[in-house]
Amino acid sequence: MPLSDTLARVDADLAAGRLPVARQRLRGLVSSFPNDLMLRRRLAEVYRLYGEPAEAGRWMYLEEDRDAAETSAFEARYGTPVQRMRALAWQGGESLARTAFAGEQLASVRAACSDAMGHSVDWDAVPSGEKEVGERSPFADFLAGAGCLVAILAFLAIWVNGVVALLN
């Protein structure tokens, strides 16, 4: 469905008070057109109607006329640079931003994420978390091993109990 038709449906949904449907359509459009600032602005407006300042701040983060309280709510909800970079859901480089402010914001978030990760990251390969894939803490390894050991011991106990009951 063309962009204009979907936006017309969004307008009709909003006029009819169908906020969840309008929000879902806009989320789909932003997913399909992640670099369209107008779609991000429209989605932020819907989140304002929901009373969700963090999500409104998320989708207005690249706009110069953004609300400071919404921006703070977004930054509080997505507390790390990696989380913010993932939440912004941008694709391609900062050069695709249509305004200088958006480009600066994207560059700032990417640089902060690169610093946090300890290596350069880009918008096409946003890290999934604070650590590289494959890195685990020793405590997590211990817990996983202990969990497996407990499961094996429980299985053996049940099996032995069954054999004893069978022989009696």
Side-chain angles (χ1 to χ4, degrees), residues 41 48 60 62-68 70-71 101:
R41 179 179 290 272
R48 278 190 202 103
M60 283 293 290
L62 303 177
E63 298 287 349
E64 196 163 8
D65 63 339
R66 64 190 184 180
D67 180 80
E70 291 174 350
T71 300
F101 183 81

Side-chain angles (χ1 to χ4, degrees), residues 131-145:
K131 292 185 173 191
E132 287 291 324
V133 175
E135 280 188 40
R136 295 187 311 211
S137 72
F139 185 66
D141 288 340
F142 170 77
L143 286 178

